[in-house]
Amino acid sequence: MHPFQKVSPPEEGSPIRIENGQIVTPACPIIPFITGDGIGTDIWTATQMVLDEAVNQTYGGLRRISWFQIHAGLSALKTYGQDNVLPDDTIEAIKKYKVAIKGPLTTPVGSYPYVCLACAKEQGESIQNRPSKCEKCGSPFVTKRFRSLNVTLRQVLDLYACVRPVRWYKGVPTPVKSPERLNVIIFRENTEDVYAGIEFSYDSQEATDLIEFLEKRMHKPVRSGSGIGIKPISAFGSQRLIKKAIIYAIQHNLPSVTMVHKGNIMKFTEGAFRDWGYEMAHKEFSDKVIFESVCQARGNPDGKIILKDRIADQMFQQVLLRPDEYHVIATPNLNGDYLSDACAAQVGGLGLAPGANMGDDLALFEATHGTAPKYTGQDKANPSSLILSGVMMLEHLGWQEAADMIVKALEKTIGQKRVTYDLERQMSGATCLKTSEFAAAICENIT
Ligand code: NAP
């Protein structure tokens, strides 16, 4: 008997296991997938076709993925009923099977948008303060909203690292002269910083109380009528993220890890992120890592990984002007959000940018763009972001040969100028393919 209420895992296959922190992938792993909303169905169908073809061609039937459909977003509403956009089945399936992949999700708007604070609390709903009154009883007014599903998934599953590799694929049009010089993997902290969701509206009692507290108790005056957001950054959260980045550099034989922060201004949050990183690296990786300052003074005769830090604003220049000096980047949440999109733009945009949210044991791979609702059901969108997230997933499983095969085939297809609309409009002499045709072209090139 399986523990799920409305979904059934496939009969074939078995779960991936984690033993001593290492992934153990069976020959036929069960992998849960969420198609996603909007263009999700189109790009998922294309992705599954490419992944299956590559695995089949590489391992000749000795390995294969047993797919298990689970639900979130609009498809969850259909299967599980009103308001259940993230069912327990979905969370439990990801926990049980360790690795999952998803398309983009819409965060639906609540079906009864306005309820008062007391009613919302009673219903256990996530709420956001609004400057008005309840239509029914005149109590302070709130808008009922579903919390972002992506943020909820990351927090519930403690997927603390958002991992985004950014590199150029031959033939992709870009705004820079030498896009091939950028090849970085960004580890963005996923659970803290201003994204922790501790925010109070300018006219809320909470903001008024906090302003009073800051002024009276901390002697830090804040202009009255200010909205307030809190930026928590901890040693625990920073060090586990930076550690993950360093381990990645060690495993992939990469020359440097750069901590990107704004510590010159925010000393006790972003500055502490950097200091905790150096402290942890000194304690745990001194045989493998050398600090840039030491390296400049004494050289690096043992060829250790160089750990450096850069201030965030300067880093935006660095990735444009000296991109080849950076390999692995570790950064707090907000910097990482900006930096990963800026880097993706440099090599041709979000359409080809893959991503994963990873914890200690669990990994959820996902397209980095949204649901592009205007293209829903048109078989038009570019599936590359999700396909490349699938490539990251195969690498995570240890199926590197299949992953390499897809990258080669994707590059070949783009090189043949057989692309989806978004790339076709930027390339001269290209053929515009539908999502499904593009996937078929990649499969044709998998040899
Ligand atoms: P979006 O869905 O990423 O789409 C913005 C534009 O980007 C599209 O109109 C399209 O540009 C282009 N685009 C995105 N994906 C593409 C693809 N696969 N192929 C080709 N072009 C693509 O951003 P949005 O319109 O701001 O957000 C729509 C919904 O997605 C919202 O509900 C949002 O909450 C959600 N969202 C989800 C995630 C996630 O689940 N990870 C992330 C971001 C947003 P053109 O119009 O120029 O063709």
Side-chain angles (χ1 to χ4, degrees):
M1 269 298 286
H2 63 74
F4 308 110
Q5 285 178 359
K6 295 208 174 186
V7 286
S8 298
E11 285 180 5
E12 227 194 324
S14 52
I16 287 165
R17 299 190 315 280
I18 305 292
E19 286 176 8
N20 302 320
Q22 300 296 316
I23 186 163
V24 180
T25 309
C28 182
I30 294 176
I31 298 193
F33 69 94
I34 297 165
T35 55
D37 302 320
I39 56 171
T41 307
D42 288 346
I43 62 172
W44 170 254
T45 306
T47 299
Q48 189 176 345
M49 181 172 155
V50 170
L51 295 179
D52 284 344
E53 179 68 15
V55 170
N56 188 35
Q57 290 267 352
T58 311
Y59 306 114
L62 294 176
R63 288 178 179 174
R64 66 179 217 89
I65 295 171
S66 185
W67 297 107
F68 172 22
Q69 182 164 16
I70 55 174
H71 301 279
L74 299 180
S75 84
L77 284 181
K78 275 189 213 140
T79 311
Y80 290 83
Q82 204 184 27
D83 290 359
N84 200 351
V85 286
L86 188 55
D88 290 346
D89 277 359
T90 297
I91 300 292
E92 291 313 311
I94 299 172
K95 283 186 183 163
K96 180 173 165 70
Y97 295 104
K98 311 291 182 213
V99 171
I101 184 164
K102 67 176 265 297
L105 294 172
T106 306
T107 295
V109 176
S111 47
Y112 41 98
Y114 303 121
V115 289
C116 76
L117 190 59
C119 297
K121 272 189 179 157
E122 198 181 291
Q123 290 160 7
E125 302 295 352
S126 65
I127 52 175
Q128 200 175 47
N129 290 332
R130 281 286 179 272
S132 189
K133 304 276 181 204
C134 177
E135 283 164 347
K136 272 190 187 164
C137 64
S139 311
F141 190 57
V142 297
T143 303
K144 173 176 176 276
R145 290 164 56 136
F146 292 99
R147 195 159 184 218
S148 157
L149 292 177
N150 295 308
V151 173
T152 309
L153 274 166
R154 288 169 200 165
Q155 293 192 343
V156 172
L157 298 167
D158 197 23
L159 303 170
Y160 60 82
C162 176
V163 184
R164 299 261 301 259
V166 186
R167 56 159 287 202
W168 181 65
Y169 293 93
K170 212 169 165 203
V172 174
T174 86
V176 300
K177 281 193 216 146
S178 307
E180 72 288 349
R181 289 177 62 203
L182 184 71
N183 188 353
V184 291
I185 177 146
I186 300 172
F187 286 74
R188 163 189 167 198
E189 208 289 325
N190 240 350
T191 63
E192 302 193 328
D193 202 345
V194 284
Y195 283 65
I198 311 172
E199 256 199 311
F200 303 101
S201 169
Y202 74 99
D203 57 354
S204 64
Q205 189 58 47
E206 291 91 339
T208 309
D209 291 351
L210 273 168
I211 290 170
E212 194 182 312
F213 175 80
L214 286 169
E215 188 158 349
K216 292 202 173 139
R217 299 282 297 277
M218 303 286 159
H219 311 294
K220 298 277 184 193
V222 173
R223 188 170 292 135
S224 69
S226 299
I228 304 275
I230 307 273
K231 180 182 175 76
I233 291 195
S234 70
F236 173 78
S238 304
Q239 289 181 334
R240 67 176 177 171
L241 185 271
I242 297 164
K243 186 170 174 172
K244 211 173 188 54
I246 292 176
I247 290 173
Y248 184 91
I250 294 169
Q251 286 173 344
H252 293 81
N253 215 8
L254 293 168
S256 75
V257 175
T258 305
M259 296 178 287
V260 177
H261 60 87
K262 191 72 188 158
N264 55 330
I265 305 295
M266 292 168 273
K267 296 184 173 47
F268 305 120
T269 50
E270 303 248 342
F273 174 88
R274 168 203 57 211
D275 296 345
W276 287 322
Y278 280 128
E279 194 183 292
M280 179 275 301
H282 179 66
K283 256 195 228 149
E284 298 189 30
F285 296 102
S286 56
D287 56 331
K288 299 216 163 51
V289 166
I290 185 168
F291 295 175
E292 186 181 43
S293 51
V294 177
C295 184
Q296 279 163 350
R298 296 189 223 141
N300 183 11
D302 303 325
K304 291 179 177 177
I305 292 166
I306 300 170
L307 182 62
K308 45 192 171 182
D309 72 277
R310 294 288 181 273
I311 291 174
D313 43 330
Q314 126 96 324
M315 189 64 184
F316 280 84
Q317 278 197 67
Q318 294 282 312
V319 290
L320 274 168
L321 301 177
R322 299 160 71 163
D324 22 31
E325 292 178 19
Y326 300 94
H327 309 92
V328 178
I329 290 171
T331 187
N333 211 333
L334 181 62
N335 300 333
D337 198 1
Y338 297 155
L339 193 60
S340 42
D341 276 22
C343 287
Q346 201 169 316
V347 295
L350 285 182
L352 275 101
N357 293 295
M358 308 181 93
D360 285 331
D361 289 351
L362 309 181
L364 178 59
F365 296 83
E366 66 172 2
T368 51
H369 54 72
T371 58
K374 66 181 174 184
Y375 299 123
T376 301
Q378 292 184 28
D379 195 17
K380 183 169 180 172
N382 185 349
S384 300
S385 171
L386 194 55
I387 291 174
L388 289 168
S389 303
V391 166
M392 285 178 80
M393 187 186 82
L394 294 177
E395 288 172 348
H396 183 69
L397 301 185
W399 296 5
Q400 188 67 47
E401 311 82 357
D404 292 344
M405 213 175 225
I406 296 175
V407 172
K408 226 172 92 199
L410 178 76
E411 281 186 319
K412 188 168 172 191
T413 311
I414 295 170
Q416 292 166 336
K417 297 197 172 185
R418 299 158 78 196
V419 289
T420 44
Y421 84 94
D422 53 319
L423 296 182
E424 187 266 342
R425 67 188 170 188
Q426 302 176 66
M427 292 162 92
S428 64
T431 308
C432 184
L433 301 183
K434 293 178 173 190
T435 313
S436 52
E437 293 169 340
F438 182 62
I442 297 173
C443 290
E444 203 183 292
N445 285 327
I446 292 178
T447 46

